[in-house]
Amino acid sequence: MIDPAAALSAIKFNSEGLVPAIAQQHDSGEVLMMAWMNREAVGETLKSGRVCYYSRSRKALWRKGETSGQPQTLKSFLIDCDGDTILLKVDQKGVACHTGHRDCFFTEVGPEGLTEISPVVIPPTELYGK
Amino acid sequence: MIDPAAALSAIKFNSEGLVPAIAQQHDSGEVLMMAWMNREAVGETLKSGRVCYYSRSRKALWRKGETSGQPQTLKSFLIDCDGDTILLKVDQKGVACHTGHRDCFFTEVGPEGLTEISPVVIPPTELYGK
């Protein structure tokens, strides 16, 4: 339970009231995903210790894992030098990506074009029902 | 030297023609910084193997290290599942942050407010002259 007041005054939200948040697995260092937070999502994440984003498509709070069963537990909350990006060190249960990959960055750009460099760990049908 | 065509067609640039790019030290896993790229910055980065961003404040290409002497060599270029975020695995010479910290995420939010969790490695006066 962390009081979000200091964080909320240090973060510079953009013109839409949002800030990008990078999620990194706290022990392995894997970069899992990048999503957006509004003031309410920052507050809920710090108070609850469970990561909550803001979904730009649904225009609503997105409590990570609520539908998929793959939540992120907050380990530390960092703000960058100019206050416009957040780094969340988390413990990701299962997979971070809605495609069922462990993280969202499974497409590598190389001399032969695009390559998928990591497997689907949990099929999306298992994550979201059939 | 990577042809940027496949990357440029897979990336969804935002309404300002930009995409966020996370830089991660390729071997240690440290998340160094987050900045923005336009199509030209993506092209130059892939072709040259040296990371080039787009500076929103200067409205110009930002060849990382050109002024500070702290460049990033590209090790791999990854696109996320929905094409709207890039992860750059890089080899960062010296420090990534203009404050002289190794990375930009040196401010932690905790129960006692904000704490600086890592030292200045190179004073900004050395990075940018006096």
Side-chain angles (χ1 to χ4, degrees):
Chain A
M1 166 68 203
I2 295 176
D3 181 338
L8 288 172
S9 52
I11 295 168
K12 289 182 197 136
F13 293 90
N14 70 12
S15 60
E16 297 169 288
L18 302 176
V19 63
I22 302 160
Q24 181 181 33
Q25 175 66 27
H26 72 105
D27 46 6
S28 68
E30 300 160 276
V31 175
L32 299 166
M33 57 181 285
M34 200 279 273
W36 295 81
M37 289 183 155
N38 62 2
R39 294 180 70 85
E40 200 179 343
V42 168
E44 177 165 323
T45 297
L46 286 168
K47 284 189 263 186
S48 71
R50 290 275 284 262
V51 178
C52 174
Y53 299 103
Y54 176 80
S55 166
R56 295 178 302 168
S57 54
R58 291 191 291 107
K59 300 191 195 307
L61 289 182
W62 166 23
R63 294 179 178 89
K64 180 74 179 157
E66 198 171 47
T67 308
S68 64
Q70 317 290 304
Q72 295 176 344
T73 302
L74 184 68
K75 293 290 182 175
S76 75
F77 189 110
L78 300 146
I79 302 175
D80 82 341
C81 55
D82 49 8
D84 66 3
T85 307
I86 291 168
L87 176 60
L88 306 166
K89 300 212 177 185
V90 305
D91 191 18
Q92 172 69 60
K93 184 184 169 198
V95 298
C97 187
H98 73 287
T99 60
H101 290 81
R102 169 70 174 167
D103 64 74
C104 296
F105 300 98
F106 53 83
T107 304
E108 184 167 16
V109 179
E112 270 86 59
L114 308 181
T115 314
E116 199 164 309
I117 58 165
S118 73
V120 170
V121 181
I122 305 178
T125 48
E126 273 183 45
L127 292 173
Y128 301 104
K130 307 193 183 193
Chain B
M1 166 71 204
I2 295 176
D3 181 339
L8 289 172
S9 52
I11 295 168
K12 289 183 197 132
F13 294 89
N14 70 13
S15 59
E16 298 169 287
L18 301 176
V19 63
I22 302 161
Q24 181 182 34
Q25 175 64 28
H26 72 106
D27 47 6
S28 67
E30 300 161 275
V31 175
L32 298 167
M33 56 182 285
M34 201 279 273
W36 295 80
M37 289 183 157
N38 63 2
R39 294 179 71 85
E40 200 179 344
V42 168
E44 176 165 323
T45 297
L46 286 168
K47 285 190 262 185
S48 71
R50 290 275 285 262
V51 178
C52 174
Y53 299 102
Y54 177 81
S55 166
R56 295 179 301 170
S57 54
R58 290 191 292 108
K59 301 191 194 308
L61 289 182
W62 165 25
R63 294 178 180 91
K64 179 74 181 159
E66 200 171 43
T67 308
S68 65
Q70 317 290 305
Q72 295 176 343
T73 302
L74 184 68
K75 293 291 182 175
S76 75
F77 189 110
L78 300 147
I79 301 175
D80 82 341
C81 55
D82 50 9
D84 66 3
T85 306
I86 290 168
L87 176 60
L88 305 166
K89 301 211 177 186
V90 305
D91 191 18
Q92 171 70 60
K93 183 184 169 199
V95 298
C97 187
H98 74 288
T99 60
H101 290 80
R102 169 70 175 166
D103 65 73
C104 297
F105 299 98
F106 53 84
T107 304
E108 184 167 14
V109 179
E112 269 88 58
L114 308 182
T115 314
E116 199 163 308
I117 58 166
S118 72
V120 170
V121 180
I122 306 179
T125 48
E126 273 182 46
L127 293 173
Y128 301 103
K130 306 193 184 193

